[in-house]
Amino acid sequence: MDTSSKSTTLSSRSGICRTGLEARLVARPDGLPAPGNFEILEVAVPNPEPGQVLVRNLFMSLDPGMLMLITGESGLPMPRYEVGEVMYGDAIGEVVASADSSLGEGDLVMHRLGWREYAVAQAGLFRRVDRDAYPTPSTYLGFGLVAYVGLMDAAELRPGDTVFVSSAAGATGSMAGQIARLKGAARVIGSAGSRHKAAYLTGRLGFDAAFDYHDGPIVDRLREAAPEGIDVYFDNVGGEQLRAAIEIMNPHGRIAVCGALNRQSKAGPDGGPGDLLSVLGKRLTIRGFTVGDHLERAPEFGAQFRTWLREGAIVYDETVIDGLANAPQALLDIVNGAYTGKTVVRLGS
Amino acid sequence: MDTSSKSTTLSSRSGICRTGLEARLVARPDGLPAPGNFEILEVAVPNPEPGQVLVRNLFMSLDPGMLMLITGESGLPMPRYEVGEVMYGDAIGEVVASADSSLGEGDLVMHRLGWREYAVAQAGLFRRVDRDAYPTPSTYLGFGLVAYVGLMDAAELRPGDTVFVSSAAGATGSMAGQIARLKGAARVIGSAGSRHKAAYLTGRLGFDAAFDYHDGPIVDRLREAAPEGIDVYFDNVGGEQLRAAIEIMNPHGRIAVCGALNRQSKAGPDGGPGDLLSVLGKRLTIRGFTVGDHLERAPEFGAQFRTWLREGAIVYDETVIDGLANAPQALLDIVNGAYTGKTVVRLGS
């Protein structure tokens, strides 16, 4: 999709009555991007053609994985961001004009059209969701399903397991630790990038133990936190934390590989797990996963998540960034550890 | 168990009528062992006490994993070899005297008492096996079950998979490649340490493609052999072959980690799989396994293996080393790639 030529086409079309911001990648960085690698443009928003709807976005998701789609080295089963195109990603909005019978004005919809205030597209690209399911529509952008399938499918969580989660104060990790406990883990341990965040894990989120990964050898911190070893490691980072987890893992332990933040923040290989002698000797399983392979879990997870929220059994914290123009810097700040919980961008006024 | 003091006890006991050789570790090497790290002793063999049987061994198994039990760094769920003790391991023999009603003279039995011509122990340590199941009793020492559970349980082999096996001319690899084909793999690729062995794989064992891992970049050889990628990697070696397998692996590929020959032969870490970005992006599974966790598969595998042998569907090649005194060197020679198929030691005269 060549977005720039598309915009031109749209501008020359009759019936334009709105403008909105969108964010494009303007240069592929060598390593981590800077805000200058993005441009925020005000573009004309056309009325929907037959079969299309026009959606005004309320919130969009920021996800550290987006950085890897920028560098183009992700290896992920998603297309990289192309220079000159609007960045895609999860967003939620409401229909303001519809030319398709499947959706009506006022409907709340999720989609993957990402970094823009307005989205106009075929109705089939939008999925209507229940406006009353959550206190705020942004909750739909949460990464609870990622955490859930990582624990249930990739790590095959069993009641009584001791579970270690890295980047545990982040969007996925904060869900993973809490869901592990709710699904029967005997002990949940988290690591994060500051003592403040470690205290957040044990205080607000109810982790049994937590540590700042800067605070001495990780394997020592992990051994103190899990004197009887760990059975499951929910890996958001790789590198030294992964090697430490393997070192103290119990026989038949399972590692769900969800992210590679350590590599992302350094923009280079991180040594990985080292040789596989312990993986062999302890009969460990290391499994990469992405949520896209497990979307059939969404209804089951959604029902549980809503129950947990209603009963106060789970804490769902959000950081809300205001305005598309602030999104590029916020994306970098996530990887730099600036936020706890899920980070979303509030779009429009 | 202090074997030397036990021998003294045995020698002073009445009723000794036999002597036999046994092999002990006399020094723990720093790195790979040399034959001088072992001693072969002639010791008195007592008659069995009540509840015991006396077994004359026919064959014992050699297994590259034994080297790791010598260095004591195996991480394997088996005790390391202790200096001064007889080395344990799989062996098969026949009962020559029994003081227990469960076994009788002439019974063929398997056991784990290893590197000795005669074994005297509680009857429960021996398992009677069918003398007519295989052309030679040594076949019981084969590693087919290891290959089978690695493929079926660790790698979750599916019909149509393309399977890559490293160290494919060895005891486990030669079984793994053939069993993969018999269980429905669409294409089976093997690597080995010489062109001669690669030709053995495609010629005698019916692999679809094979290469000498010394022969240029492994990833290039593997890509030529598997132009549509691989789905399963049966890993006996680790290191560069593991990294190459990950690089060309298809999404949802599975790696069964069976051995770490690359590390064993160098006696040091081998870099492992590198960072897990591809494991994440391609949603791969890396799983260590040992046969001991899957012994419930033995009857099922045994029945299939005997059928395959009878029908000529599988080739089972053995290298037979004569005499316990030659076992230490032969163990080193396995890791150095001297043999194809299973290596056993014929004991006694």
Side-chain angles (χ1 to χ4, degrees), chain B residues 154-168:
Chain B
E156 300 180 49
L157 179 73
R158 298 166 197 159
D161 278 345
T162 292
V163 176
F164 169 49
V165 180
S166 54
S167 189

Side-chain angles (χ1 to χ4, degrees), chain B residues 305-343:
Chain B
F305 186 48
R306 285 187 290 274
T307 302
W308 290 330
L309 282 173
R310 196 170 53 239
E311 296 175 347
I314 198 165
V315 172
Y316 182 71
D317 284 340
E318 272 182 348
T319 299
V320 179
I321 305 297
D322 257 308
L324 188 59
N326 294 315
Q329 184 59 52
L331 179 59
L332 293 167
D333 289 342
I334 291 177
V335 177
N336 293 329
Y339 309 126
T340 53
K342 174 66 188 175
T343 305

Side-chain angles (χ1 to χ4, degrees), chain B residues 53-77:
Chain B
V53 294
L54 166 61
V55 169
R56 182 173 66 85
N57 280 336
L58 301 170
F59 295 94
M60 67 176 224
S61 175
L62 289 180
D63 167 5
M66 289 170 165
L67 285 182
M68 311 189 78
L69 300 175
I70 292 172
T71 60
E73 291 174 345
S74 78
L76 293 172

Side-chain angles (χ1 to χ4, degrees), chain B residues 21-343:
Chain B
L21 299 180
E22 61 183 34
R24 297 181 193 170
L25 189 65
V26 290
R28 192 176 306 286
D30 186 24
L32 285 179
N37 294 121
F38 305 83
E39 67 176 354
I40 312 291
L41 285 179
E42 184 159 10
V43 296
V45 178
N47 286 320
E49 298 189 352
Q52 290 188 327
V53 294
L54 166 61
V55 169
R56 182 173 66 85
N57 280 336
L58 301 170
F59 295 94
M60 67 176 224
S61 175
L62 289 180
D63 167 5
M66 289 170 165
L67 285 182
M68 311 189 78
L69 300 175
I70 292 172
T71 60
E73 291 174 345
S74 78
L76 293 172
M78 282 104 77
R80 67 177 190 176
Y81 293 132
E82 295 299 340
V83 170
E85 293 191 5
V86 177
M87 291 175 61
Y88 68 82
D90 284 336
I92 191 161
E94 47 191 17
V95 175
V96 291
S98 175
D100 190 84
S101 60
S102 67
L103 290 170
E105 203 173 318
D107 281 349
L108 190 65
V109 292
M110 287 194 65
H111 60 89
R112 294 275 294 153
L113 299 172
W115 296 46
R116 59 184 105 208
E117 291 181 329
Y118 287 93
V120 182
Q122 294 300 313
L125 294 177
F126 301 92
R127 180 165 64 85
R128 183 169 43 211
V129 295
D130 180 2
R131 197 176 272 278
D132 302 320
Y134 298 111
T136 158
S138 59
T139 311
Y140 275 109
L141 303 176
F143 284 171
L145 181 60
V146 178
Y148 186 74
V149 304
L151 290 167
M152 306 307 284
D153 296 314
E156 300 180 49
L157 179 73
R158 298 166 197 159
D161 278 345
T162 292
V163 176
F164 169 49
V165 180
S166 54
S167 189
T172 310
S174 61
M175 289 291 102
Q178 294 183 88
I179 292 170
R181 190 193 66 229
L182 289 162
K183 299 300 283 183
R187 186 170 175 78
V188 178
I189 296 142
S191 68
S194 71
R195 292 194 181 187
H196 173 76
K197 285 190 199 171
Y200 166 81
L201 295 177
T202 51
R204 181 158 165 81
L205 301 191
F207 281 57
D208 297 289
F211 60 90
D212 173 1
Y213 68 80
H214 301 99
D215 197 12
I218 290 166
V219 71
D220 294 345
R221 296 297 82 73
L222 198 49
R223 218 185 290 273
E224 290 159 9
E228 297 181 23
I230 60 176
D231 304 298
V232 163
Y233 171 40
F234 193 104
D235 182 17
N236 287 308
V237 301
E240 187 186 348
Q241 298 203 56
L242 172 63
R243 292 188 289 275
I246 289 174
E247 187 166 340
I248 76 150
M249 201 154 234
N250 293 325
H252 301 288
R254 289 140 276 139
I255 298 172
V257 181
C258 179
L261 278 166
N262 188 63
R263 171 169 174 149
Q264 286 168 255
S265 58
K266 289 180 187 162
D270 70 8
D275 79 42
L276 295 186
L277 208 54
S278 295
V279 171
L280 169 57
K282 295 198 275 193
R283 295 89 84 207
L284 307 181
T285 299
I286 301 175
R287 181 177 277 147
F289 75 99
T290 57
V291 70
D293 289 332
H294 302 275
L295 295 180
E296 77 288 351
R297 288 274 204 185
E300 160 197 340
F301 170 71
Q304 293 196 33
F305 186 48
R306 285 187 290 274
T307 302
W308 290 330
L309 282 173
R310 196 170 53 239
E311 296 175 347
I314 198 165
V315 172
Y316 182 71
D317 284 340
E318 272 182 348
T319 299
V320 179
I321 305 297
D322 257 308
L324 188 59
N326 294 315
Q329 184 59 52
L331 179 59
L332 293 167
D333 289 342
I334 291 177
V335 177
N336 293 329
Y339 309 126
T340 53
K342 174 66 188 175
T343 305

